[in-house]
Amino acid sequence: MEQIKQQIKDFKAVLESGIDIEMFISVLKSTNLGPAKKGGMYVNALDSLGWVELYKSTSVDISEMQLLILFDYMVKYHKKYFCKFNNIYAVFQEFHYEKISLNLFELESIIYYSMTL
């Protein structure tokens, strides 16, 4: 129960940074942009400024602060898809093959819609 409470608190911080549920999904759907990678574990592995630059080529307008809050959350609660080493945030190839939607992030959807009632 404590872990769920902490996850709710941490996702609330993501939302309070100015990321709504649509932006959350847009950011995640765009993690595989950039040069195509052949092989390897990661679809992308960049530092925070590299990620912000990558997102500039999309319609996603995310600040470095927002990105750090979101990616730290993803590393903590979605280790299957995200990791961090040194100052590099990496997205595993497996995430690229998932159908990225709210169905994949049910708890985050519940938290978001509960907070916006």
Side-chain angles (χ1 to χ4, degrees), residues 10-11 13-15 17 19-20 23-29 31 55 60 62-78 82 89 105 108:
D10 290 346
F11 192 68
V14 170
L15 298 172
S17 77
I19 296 174
D20 63 15
M23 184 176 181
F24 175 75
I25 292 298
S26 293
V27 167
L28 298 180
K29 283 184 174 181
T31 56
Y55 286 115
V60 178
I62 189 166
S63 70
E64 183 179 12
M65 183 218 44
Q66 289 172 313
L67 183 121
L68 289 170
I69 292 169
L70 175 57
F71 277 27
D72 283 341
Y73 173 86
M74 294 302 292
V75 166
K76 186 174 182 179
Y77 296 105
H78 296 283
F82 282 73
Y89 291 91
F105 299 100
E108 289 81 2

Side-chain angles (χ1 to χ4, degrees), residues 55-102:
Y55 286 115
K56 284 182 181 177
S57 68
T58 71
S59 61
V60 178
D61 183 24
I62 189 166
S63 70
E64 183 179 12
M65 183 218 44
Q66 289 172 313
L67 183 121
L68 289 170
I69 292 169
L70 175 57
F71 277 27
D72 283 341
Y73 173 86
M74 294 302 292
V75 166
K76 186 174 182 179
Y77 296 105
H78 296 283
K79 293 176 183 158
K80 178 179 176 182
Y81 303 123
F82 282 73
C83 70
K84 181 180 178 184
F85 47 93
N86 298 321
N87 291 325
I88 303 296
Y89 291 91
V91 179
F92 290 105
Q93 288 282 355
E94 185 174 342
F95 189 61
H96 174 67
Y97 300 117
E98 291 284 353
K99 184 174 177 124
I100 301 168
S101 70
L102 292 179

Side-chain angles (χ1 to χ4, degrees), residues 43-60:
V43 67
N44 266 323
L46 305 164
D47 65 11
S48 59
L49 291 176
W51 281 107
V52 170
E53 282 301 310
L54 180 123
Y55 286 115
K56 284 182 181 177
S57 68
T58 71
S59 61
V60 178

